[in-house]
Amino acid sequence: MNFENISKKQLFKESQIMKIHYITGICALFVVAIHILMRVIMPYNMSLEYENVVMNYHNIFYAILLEIILVLIAIHGFNGLRIILIELRQNTAWEKSMTILTIIGMISIIAYGTRTIIIGNGLEI
Amino acid sequence: MVVNDIGENRVNREGLKGWLNPTRYGWERVSYWFQRLTGIFLLVYFIGHVYETSSLTNGIDAWNAMLELTQTTGGHIFLILVIGASTFHSANGIRLIFVQSGKGLGKPGRPDYPYDPVSLNKTQRSGIWIALILSAVAMLYGANVLFE
Amino acid sequence: MPDVIDHDIVIIGSGLAGLRAAISAASVTNGKKLNIGVFSKVQVMRSHSVSAEGGTAAVLFDDDGDNKESHVYDTIKGSDFLGDQDVAERLVDNIPFEIYQLDRWGMPWSRRDDGRIDQRKFGGYSYPRATYAQDKVGFYEMQTLYDTSLKYDNIHFYNEWFCTSILHDDNNFQGLTAIEMKNGNFVKIKAPAGIICTGGAGRIFSFSTYAYSSTPDGLDMCLRAGLALKDMEFVQFHPTGILPSGILITEGARGEGGYLINNQNERFMLKYAPEKLELAPRDVVSRSMIQEIQAGRGFEHESGLECLKLDLTHLGDEKIKEKLAGIREIGIKFSGVDIVDEPIEIRPVCHYMMGGIHTDIDGKTEMNGLWAAGEAACNSTHGANRLGANSTSECLVWGRITGEVAAKYALSKKESSSGNISITLNNQQILDEEKRIFDNIFRGRGQVNPYEVRKELTDTMDAKAYVYRDEKSLMEGLKKTRELKESAWKHVDDNSKEYNTNFTNVMEIDAMLRTAEIVLMGAINRKESRGAHARIDFPKRDDVNFLKHTLAYYKQDGPVLDWYPVTFTRYAPVERKY
Amino acid sequence: MGWKFNMSGKDNSGDHSGNDNNEEKIHKKELNGPKKTKSVESKSKFTDKTITLKIFRINQNNEKSNSHFDEYKVSSKRWTTVLDTLLDVKSYQDHSISLRYSCRMASCGSCGMKINGVPRLACYTKISDLISEDDPDPTITCEPLANFPYIKDLVTDFSQFFNHHRKIMPYIQNTKNDTIDSENLSEYVQSPEDLDKFLQFSYCIKCGLCYSSCPTVATDMNFPGPQALSQAYRYFIDTRDSANKTRFNIIDDRHGIWRCHFAGSCSHVCPKGVDPALGIQLLRSHLLGFNKNEKKIAKLREK
Ligand SMILES: Cc1cc2nc3c(=O)[nH]c(=O)nc-3n(C[C@H](O)[C@H](O)[C@H](O)COP(=O)(O)OP(=O)(O)OC[C@H]3O[C@@H](n4cnc5c(N)ncnc54)[C@H](O)[C@@H]3O)c2cc1C
Ligand code: HEM
Ligand code: SF4
Ligand code: F3S
Ligand code: FES
């Protein structure tokens, strides 16, 4: 029968992954809250003006905050996606490729976002 | 769909349709469905948002061009949905974290007819409602800010 | 799936007896494990045993004054002295072990506050002796045994395999034929040893507490293989079945203090069994109830049947919910009555077959290599009337005994043939069987609706062989049964192979007709009233002529009856009073 | 309560209150007086009706596209269950319908099927609860349980479901006291409170309704499903069992307990109040290491 556990070797136990999922979820809640509050300190439209945005990026604490958000949500979100995907089909090839796919997604979005933060941090107004 | 040794003709899994249909089995099922949809939706938005902000690196003109693209009525409505989705997902997510670690569920006991599963108790149901209401409020507030 | 399956032991039936036998056989080894096959026409946990409600009788509280001797005597007195006394002693000796064994395996026995296993009162016992787990004893026992059996990798379950006949060579068991219901294949099974645990046959009555699967196909298989059925005329009618379905309200309800009342609101058992009242043995209570009804003191149920009521309202909400939750659910769901608020309508209902395949004290049948246990077997523990809670005990005790004995037998066979028992099946038998089921039944012809025949048969049994019987009605019943048997009903309309329940139903009806005939003939032949067999025309017990078991063999042109002696050890028959 | 009954059963004195546990009063129960009773449901509410029964027909060896619904007319009374009508149809209208049934009292778990789109036990579902009194042509639809492979008509294949159950080791493992010898008969000391912790979950009749309703099972065939997982909890929390680690290793898997997202549908459809969703979440709490000291291993009673 095509029943036995397909996944025997795993880097993390599923419980560890899910703990990470929960923790990233909760932490994301707080940091995103701060991120959004920044939008409402000043009128919304003003907060989106190029100068104001770049000013924010110059603030090293804010830049770190953004980086944290980026990492947390990328992990949480792509792991969520992985969960949904591996529930869809059960065979080793599919599961492996989905895991790799989500990890690639996770890394690339973090990399791409980090690039914005670094460059933003160095931009002249 | 899932086919193992049982052969195509006999497969009777509900499949994707199963989890996409929240209309049976009560409110917990609706909350499950919403949590998934909002999760995927937020992920899509998140990717888009990272891409959106990256236009920053190409200077003020690129940034303003992007703003012009997104800060439209349609874009605002989309943003309001994101606000609603993230409020629901976070609030309900916190409830889920609690219940999935066994908190706030009530105790098993001797089953009594008519059977009333304690896991589907008032606390849970009100948790779902609170998440729904919070997200509605957040959406109203968001609309207020965006369309002032 | 190969055409022939090999096993060391086959067990037919996966009720309490079958599972207990499987586990006990699986743990007998001499270094090598035996290969055990459990065949059942329903999935394991769908067996009828899951319906047992009230308790399992055992002497556990010696320190509180209970003792084994009293259990033996209660059983024998309950049996109206037709029970074999050595067998009853064996039962009583062995059952405490089974209770504790089940506890080790995870049985959720109801507990006293000090953490010990609790017991409740049951009809016909001198002490509270029914070990219980709420009111779902059979269910929990089945679950415990099933789950435990999953531990053994040498037990193979064949779910939904309908066994049709026993293969034998002269008097040696060789195997079985069966139909795999999922795909309709006809399969032969070879094994040196077999245990029949196919349960009771109560579905030959319409108004019955039994599951629909409790038909006598197992008994019939043995009958066709030349074995005898013993004491089939003794059918127990349980006092409290709800209307119109016949679902059981456990004796535990009366054990916990329920009253039976008539339409005068009287607790009429005061008249019939002044000492034990509602907790007299079942035959006594059932007869009293029929007398009440015939005296015009019954209620009329919507369905037209007359009935009495069981009053539990005084037990209180708390106690009912704690100890009789399942009954409450049944009442609400199937009768529309909440027993907490209202008495529930009940009527005596067919509940247990004291008779079965003739076996000795070890459960061995007349055929070498074949044993029988549980309700299908008649090792004469229960004689003419079983006490409540003694049946699950019997299933457990003889499940274990037969499992062990059969395993040892199989092992010795294996050893003497150096590991490879070669059985040459008798081809003629297999061809005959194929002819019987495929040519005669599956491709049979007829205009009469077999389900109609089943309905008429069971209704006839209800009308003619109920609590009180007499020559005239029994004869009428026998005549009707023979008429039905001769009519052109043997045919199957559904011609698909896969999961053809039409086919299996017709095979069951075939067996029911033969068994019903034996029940009726035995009842006609026994011209006395003893235990559950009450004749209006012979109201007295007759120890001179009838203190013996009935045996029935099936010969070419019908059943042939014979007698068999009862074993006595210590107790001489006395008049039964409660 | 004493063993001997009070003989004064006919005593008319004293009042009778329905909820009295007091033994004294039980015996003084008024037997001849009028009784006030309240019905659970009004008995005369449901008049006999003719209904249309739609039954899904399929055969595992034919093409799926051959499946169809057959319709039958049957009459029903107040107490008639869906199983009764199905058997009625099978006996008198169409012998070829295949379905499983055995106990007809909701304790064997054979007769699970989708009735009007929701998984239910046929023997436990009354016609009168499904249709409204003034519906001129009430129709009831019976389909096989979803998520179980088809065999024929309403009969589905449970082997995968049972295998999942077997995989979680549903038996007591207690290295210390596994064996029992006839010399030293005694039971584990288990208080009623300890019993209550798992009693509810051991009431599972393996009917598969929960398995059929769970959205994860709908796509994930390696997910043990609510039934197996709640049984894992039932044996885990039993004070007689000491195999925590082994069982955790089985369920803490990519397709294990974490694939339950608390959709609650299992508890919603369970006919026996097992509340598998509760069992799963509690099991998860132990797996996560909360509630660590809730469980003590029981000892055998000293003789
Ligand atoms: C409602 C009810 C309540 C009861 N309550 C109590 C109680 O409280 N205490 C007590 O002690 N006793 C009680 N009894 C009696 C007791 O439950 C039964 O006597 C006992 O369960 C019988 O078990 P068994 O193993 O012999 O057979 P069963 O459980 O009937 O099992 C028979 C098995 O044989 C299989 N089978 C039959 N024919 C075939 C075939 N042709 N091919 C393959 N397989 C076949 C069936 O599939 C089934 O698995 C009660 C009985 C009823 C009806
Ligand atoms: C802000 C606080 C957040 C919290 C507390 C939170 C919490 C959770 C929880 C508990 C789950 C698990 C649900 C389950 O196992 O059934 C989950 C799933 C998920 N989350 Fe979040 N989340 C948050 C934010 C986000 C964000 C911002 C995204 C988008 C990038 C996201 C994407 C997802 C996805 C895709 C899933 C998978 C859905 C599923 O498993 O059903 N989450 N979240
Ligand atoms: S948990 Fe409930 S629904 Fe699921 S199999 Fe058990 S009894 Fe049926
Ligand atoms: S329906 Fe399924 S997702 Fe969990 S709570 Fe029940 S197992
Ligand atoms: S027939 Fe047994 S549960 Fe319905």
Side-chain angles (χ1 to χ4, degrees):
Chain A
M1 268 225 162
N2 184 3
F3 237 135
E4 284 319 300
N5 283 337
I6 293 167
S7 42
K8 276 279 169 286
K9 258 193 289 169
Q10 284 184 12
L11 187 56
F12 289 106
K13 274 200 160 172
E14 196 65 22
S15 54
Q16 287 164 322
I17 301 179
M18 290 310 285
K19 272 182 206 158
I20 296 172
H21 190 77
Y22 291 164
I23 292 167
T24 48
I26 294 179
C27 296
L29 179 61
F30 290 105
V31 283
V32 170
I34 301 172
H35 179 60
I36 291 172
L37 281 180
M38 301 292 274
R39 298 289 80 100
V40 272
I41 300 173
M42 55 182 100
Y44 176 72
N45 281 331
M46 241 166 89
S47 79
L48 286 185
E49 276 165 25
Y50 187 71
E51 293 76 20
N52 289 334
V53 175
V54 176
M55 277 282 272
N56 278 341
Y57 277 81
H58 280 188
N59 179 342
I60 187 70
F61 293 107
Y62 190 72
I64 292 174
L65 179 82
L66 284 181
E67 184 65 32
I68 293 174
I69 294 178
L70 185 65
V71 173
L72 289 178
I73 293 188
I75 293 177
H76 180 91
F78 277 99
N79 185 48
L81 187 64
R82 182 193 68 101
I83 293 171
I84 294 173
L85 289 173
I86 60 166
E87 275 175 20
L88 287 185
R89 270 160 196 268
Q90 290 77 47
N91 60 61
T92 327
W94 170 266
E95 290 184 5
K96 263 204 184 125
S97 35
M98 286 311 119
T99 311
I100 294 171
L101 201 83
T102 45
I103 291 177
I104 291 177
M106 202 185 296
I107 292 176
S108 27
I109 203 82
I110 292 175
Y112 194 61
T114 313
R115 170 180 162 269
T116 311
I117 294 171
I118 292 172
I119 298 179
N121 185 261
L123 279 181
E124 309 256 329
I125 311 175
Chain B
M1 256 336 306
V2 191
V3 180
N4 58 351
D5 61 339
I6 58 172
E8 183 87 55
N9 276 335
R10 300 183 50 208
V11 172
N12 182 23
R13 295 250 166 204
E14 278 196 329
L16 261 181
K17 265 193 283 169
W19 79 255
L20 280 174
N21 177 2
T23 55
R24 310 157 291 174
Y25 313 132
W27 283 103
E28 281 72 16
R29 185 64 173 258
V30 177
S31 113
Y32 156 84
W33 177 77
F34 247 154
Q35 184 74 0
R36 288 226 135 160
L37 291 192
T38 52
I40 299 171
F41 181 63
L42 287 175
L43 182 60
V44 172
Y45 167 75
F46 170 68
I47 297 171
H49 186 62
V50 172
Y51 175 71
E52 179 194 4
T53 47
S54 75
S55 62
L56 183 84
T57 56
N58 298 334
I60 185 160
D61 292 338
W63 175 258
N64 282 340
M66 183 60 85
L67 276 193
E68 220 164 274
L69 220 86
T70 52
Q71 301 303 309
T72 55
T73 316
H76 282 169
I77 290 175
F78 184 77
L79 266 187
I80 291 168
L81 287 180
V82 171
I83 295 171
S86 58
T87 318
F88 177 84
H89 188 94
S90 326
N92 193 44
I94 289 186
R95 176 186 75 94
L96 280 175
I97 290 173
F98 272 102
V99 288
Q100 296 193 352
S101 354
K103 302 277 173 263
L105 272 170
K107 265 178 34 191
R110 231 175 244 124
D112 250 338
Y113 185 86
Y115 302 119
D116 239 341
V118 289
S119 72
L120 313 180
N121 60 13
K122 264 211 200 96
T123 330
Q124 299 315 312
R125 212 143 293 174
S126 30
I128 296 168
W129 278 101
I130 288 170
L132 284 170
I133 291 168
L134 272 183
S135 72
V137 171
M139 277 158 82
L140 282 180
Y141 178 76
N144 197 23
V145 171
L146 289 172
F147 290 112
E148 72 187 325
Chain C
M1 194 55 73
D3 208 23
V4 181
I5 301 177
D6 260 312
H7 278 292
D8 294 329
I9 300 180
V10 288
I11 294 169
I12 306 132
S14 60
L16 274 176
L19 286 174
R20 187 66 187 88
I23 295 178
S24 110
S27 20
V28 174
T29 53
N30 62 345
K32 271 209 193 109
K33 287 178 186 166
L34 285 169
N35 184 1
I36 295 153
V38 181
F39 291 80
S40 176
K41 65 174 175 181
V42 296
Q43 288 157 341
V44 180
M45 281 294 289
R46 321 298 189 215
S47 299
H48 160 72
S49 290
V50 294
S51 309
E53 294 170 351
T56 298
V59 176
L60 298 186
F61 289 97
D62 299 75
D63 35 342
D64 284 5
D66 198 359
N67 62 70
K68 289 190 175 166
E69 171 132 12
S70 149
H71 189 181
V72 176
Y73 187 69
D74 288 342
T75 305
I76 291 180
K77 186 175 169 199
S79 81
D80 221 344
F81 296 91
L82 195 68
D84 283 359
Q85 304 190 351
D86 52 341
V87 182
E89 280 167 28
R90 185 101 170 247
L91 174 84
V92 171
D93 269 345
N94 279 285
I95 187 63
F97 177 85
E98 294 302 319
I99 302 284
Y100 293 123
Q101 180 64 78
L102 280 175
D103 182 58
R104 306 284 172 100
W105 285 336
M107 174 84 188
W109 292 122
S110 288
R111 303 279 173 164
R112 309 197 310 188
D113 286 337
D114 63 0
R116 285 185 72 176
I117 297 173
D118 199 7
Q119 295 194 308
R120 64 157 61 116
K121 292 177 207 158
F122 239 63
Y125 292 112
S126 323
Y127 287 93
R129 203 176 274 148
T131 325
Y132 67 103
Q134 284 200 308
D135 52 0
K136 303 168 191 110
V137 177
F139 174 78
Y140 287 131
E141 284 175 345
M142 277 294 286
Q143 185 184 60
T144 307
L145 290 176
Y146 172 58
D147 282 355
T148 304
S149 72
L150 297 178
K151 229 182 342 193
Y152 297 88
D153 54 5
N154 53 339
I155 302 179
H156 302 271
F157 286 107
Y158 295 85
N159 285 329
E160 305 191 323
W161 287 52
F162 193 98
C163 299
T164 65
S165 76
I166 292 174
L167 299 176
H168 55 103
D169 132 45
D170 284 337
N171 208 23
N172 291 310
F173 177 77
Q174 289 191 316
L176 300 166
T177 58
I179 290 178
E180 185 181 3
M181 287 170 73
K182 191 170 156 185
N183 50 29
N185 291 345
F186 180 73
V187 187
K188 287 135 259 175
I189 300 114
K190 273 196 215 170
I195 307 174
I196 306 256
C197 310
T198 51
R203 273 289 150 188
I204 56 175
F205 287 79
S206 272
F207 190 55
S208 161
T209 61
Y210 281 87
Y212 285 120
S213 60
S214 287
T215 49
D217 12 303
L219 301 183
D220 183 54
M221 240 158 69
C222 296
L223 205 56
R224 278 186 279 113
L227 302 177
L229 298 188
K230 186 162 53 180
D231 286 343
M232 289 300 288
E233 64 271 28
F234 295 106
V235 179
Q236 178 166 77
F237 293 89
H238 193 291
T240 54
I242 61 169
L243 297 119
S245 58
I247 293 173
L248 179 77
I249 300 292
T250 171
E251 189 162 305
R254 282 169 288 139
E256 297 294 348
Y259 300 153
L260 290 169
I261 53 173
N262 62 16
N263 67 8
Q264 316 286 308
N265 236 334
E266 280 171 332
R267 211 176 148 191
F268 59 85
M269 280 312 290
L270 280 164
K271 285 183 286 193
Y272 300 95
E275 205 163 313
K276 293 227 160 143
L277 293 153
E278 280 87 355
L279 288 174
R282 291 173 179 171
D283 58 333
V284 177
V285 181
S286 286
R287 278 197 296 274
S288 316
M289 289 173 70
I290 297 294
Q291 284 181 30
E292 279 301 298
I293 290 177
Q294 276 169 356
R297 290 192 286 272
F299 299 87
E300 193 180 348
H301 184 259
E302 275 173 272
S303 61
L305 280 169
E306 286 194 283
C307 60
L308 292 160
K309 286 190 179 178
L310 172 68
D311 189 352
L312 296 162
T313 51
H314 55 280
L315 297 183
D317 206 40
E318 188 90 345
K319 187 163 178 185
I320 286 178
K321 283 183 180 161
E322 187 184 325
K323 296 194 165 162
L324 298 169
I327 294 308
R328 180 167 168 260
E329 177 185 350
I330 287 171
I332 295 174
K333 206 69 194 188
F334 297 103
S335 187
V337 170
D338 189 339
I339 55 171
V340 172
D341 304 322
E342 221 183 319
I344 187 166
E345 289 154 318
I346 41 90
R347 176 185 165 83
V349 55
C350 166
H351 179 66
Y352 187 83
M353 312 293 281
M354 266 68 75
I357 304 158
H358 172 42
T359 72
D360 67 5
I361 187 170
D362 283 335
K364 188 177 173 308
T365 66
E366 293 159 290
M367 187 184 283
N368 287 329
L370 187 63
W371 285 261
E375 196 175 337
C378 177
N379 51 25
S380 305
T381 331
H382 309 305
N385 175 58
R386 166 178 78 98
L387 291 188
N390 252 350
S391 162
T392 43
S393 309
E394 185 209 340
C395 291
L396 292 168
V397 168
W398 271 275
R400 176 169 125 244
I401 294 175
T402 54
E404 236 168 63
V405 182
K408 286 189 181 134
Y409 175 86
L411 274 179
S412 72
K413 278 253 162 181
K414 254 186 154 173
E415 263 158 27
S416 63
S417 58
S418 62
N420 259 328
I421 318 164
S422 66
I423 296 173
T424 11
L425 295 177
N426 180 344
N427 258 336
Q428 193 51 43
Q429 257 174 34
I430 296 170
L431 287 178
D432 284 351
E433 179 62 9
E434 267 182 295
K435 195 160 159 236
R436 183 183 79 90
I437 57 179
F438 289 111
D439 293 350
N440 275 342
I441 296 181
F442 192 60
R443 285 184 285 273
R445 273 164 214 283
Q447 309 77 43
V448 183
N449 180 353
Y451 294 92
E452 201 90 59
V453 169
R454 185 174 71 185
K455 178 104 185 54
E456 276 189 46
L457 170 72
T458 56
D459 285 352
T460 308
M461 292 302 282
D462 268 8
K464 309 292 181 194
Y466 197 44
V467 177
Y468 280 107
R469 305 157 167 193
D470 64 34
E471 179 99 24
K472 186 165 154 282
S473 61
L474 287 169
M475 283 308 246
E476 281 166 10
L478 187 62
K479 187 159 156 271
K480 178 83 194 172
T481 308
R482 289 187 169 150
E483 265 169 39
L484 289 171
K485 212 167 125 188
E486 296 310 319
S487 64
W489 61 274
K490 240 188 229 183
H491 67 109
V492 178
D493 284 349
D494 182 1
N495 49 21
S496 62
K497 286 187 86 199
E498 301 76 16
Y499 215 93
N500 191 335
T501 43
N502 189 193
F503 184 24
T504 52
N505 285 349
V506 173
M507 283 197 281
E508 286 169 0
I509 298 166
D510 190 33
M512 284 161 79
L513 283 164
R514 264 193 293 274
T515 317
E517 197 180 349
I518 288 177
V519 172
L520 290 166
M521 284 177 66
I524 294 169
N525 210 27
R526 188 173 281 278
K527 296 185 177 21
E528 62 159 350
S529 289
R530 180 187 296 276
H533 175 67
R535 292 274 300 251
I536 301 174
D537 37 358
F538 300 98
K540 282 254 153 12
R541 194 173 80 191
D542 181 353
D543 286 341
V544 180
N545 296 311
F546 294 104
L547 190 51
K548 50 193 177 184
H549 302 296
T550 312
L551 289 188
Y553 291 93
Y554 209 83
K555 295 279 148 60
Q556 201 62 43
D557 24 58
V560 180
L561 299 185
D562 200 356
W563 300 108
Y564 192 79
V566 179
T567 315
F568 292 90
T569 55
R570 275 192 277 176
Y571 310 99
V574 295
E575 201 198 339
R576 252 169 109 220
K577 267 210 191 110
Y578 288 98
Chain D
M1 218 195 265
W3 175 236
K4 283 246 158 67
F5 272 101
N6 189 332
M7 283 310 133
S8 60
K10 280 202 165 164
D11 193 345
N12 281 350
S13 62
D15 59 345
H16 162 54
S17 62
N19 282 349
D20 211 327
N21 260 332
N22 187 320
E23 204 190 324
E24 285 303 326
K25 288 207 179 136
I26 295 175
H27 293 299
K28 289 195 184 141
K29 185 171 133 69
E30 182 178 329
L31 281 165
N32 295 322
K35 270 185 96 89
K36 263 189 255 146
T37 52
K38 81 171 190 275
S39 257
V40 185
E41 45 196 79
S42 160
K43 288 194 177 170
S44 51
K45 209 171 65 190
F46 190 81
T47 43
D48 297 2
K49 271 217 149 166
T50 301
I51 57 153
T52 308
L53 202 61
K54 271 176 81 180
I55 304 176
F56 185 80
R57 308 300 300 272
I58 191 169
N59 188 323
Q60 56 175 350
N61 287 346
N62 299 348
E63 284 300 309
K64 223 180 205 169
S65 49
N66 280 348
S67 62
H68 61 277
F69 283 96
D70 277 341
E71 290 191 12
Y72 306 90
K73 291 246 182 264
V74 268
S75 67
S76 88
K77 294 193 177 336
R78 176 175 67 86
W79 54 75
T80 308
T81 61
V82 175
L83 181 67
D84 293 339
T85 55
L86 282 166
L87 291 179
D88 194 344
V89 170
K90 183 171 171 63
S91 301
Y92 301 109
Q93 298 187 36
D94 184 349
H95 299 332
S96 69
I97 298 165
S98 289
L99 71 152
R100 280 198 186 98
Y101 57 91
S102 177
C103 69
R104 59 85 176 81
M105 55 186 280
S107 60
C108 76
S110 304
C111 62
M113 60 183 71
K114 260 199 308 196
I115 298 171
N116 286 355
V118 179
R120 306 182 219 241
L121 295 179
C123 67
Y124 201 55
T125 310
K126 274 185 287 192
I127 302 283
S128 49
D129 294 342
L130 288 178
I131 61 181
S132 77
E133 187 62 2
D134 31 54
D135 190 344
D137 180 24
T139 305
I140 289 170
T141 316
C142 298
E143 295 163 89
L145 283 181
N147 299 343
F148 292 90
Y150 296 116
I151 291 182
K152 188 171 172 242
D153 303 346
L154 301 173
V155 177
T156 48
D157 187 347
F158 268 61
S159 43
Q160 204 172 55
F161 175 77
F162 288 136
N163 276 343
H164 278 310
H165 176 67
R166 182 171 196 162
K167 236 170 57 179
I168 53 100
M169 303 189 162
Y171 34 80
I172 296 283
Q173 288 162 287
N174 192 328
T175 34
K176 264 201 201 138
N177 298 312
D178 236 4
T179 49
I180 169 169
D181 57 88
S182 38
E183 295 301 298
N184 196 16
L185 296 179
S186 72
E187 70 270 59
Y188 282 105
V189 179
Q190 190 173 51
S191 66
E193 291 74 43
D194 286 337
L195 178 66
D196 278 356
K197 283 186 191 151
F198 68 85
L199 189 65
Q200 170 177 0
F201 304 107
S202 65
Y203 198 14
C204 167
I205 60 173
K206 305 188 177 63
C207 61
L209 301 192
C210 53
Y211 194 75
S212 169
S213 72
C214 174
T216 307
V217 177
T219 56
D220 190 341
M221 64 182 181
N222 288 348
F223 176 57
Q227 188 271 341
L229 287 172
S230 58
Q231 289 314 296
Y233 181 65
R234 177 251 177 271
Y235 281 101
F236 163 81
I237 200 69
D238 193 322
T239 50
R240 293 166 290 190
D241 179 276
S242 63
N244 303 356
K245 274 269 161 53
T246 348
R247 242 178 239 116
F248 282 166
N249 281 337
I250 300 171
I251 55 170
D252 189 3
D253 173 76
R254 194 181 280 169
H255 292 286
I257 192 168
W258 298 100
R259 296 293 81 84
C260 165
H261 306 282
F262 195 52
S265 320
C266 46
S267 297
H268 197 85
V269 298
C270 179
K272 292 276 127 181
V274 174
D275 202 350
L278 175 66
I280 300 173
Q281 315 317 322
L282 292 179
L283 181 57
R284 190 148 39 191
S285 79
H286 284 273
L287 180 60
L288 286 168
F290 309 132
N291 301 344
K292 243 190 191 135
N293 38 19
E294 203 175 88
K295 188 183 164 183
K296 288 191 188 70
I297 312 288
K299 288 199 181 62
L300 287 175
R301 174 172 59 88
E302 306 267 326
K303 283 265 266 193

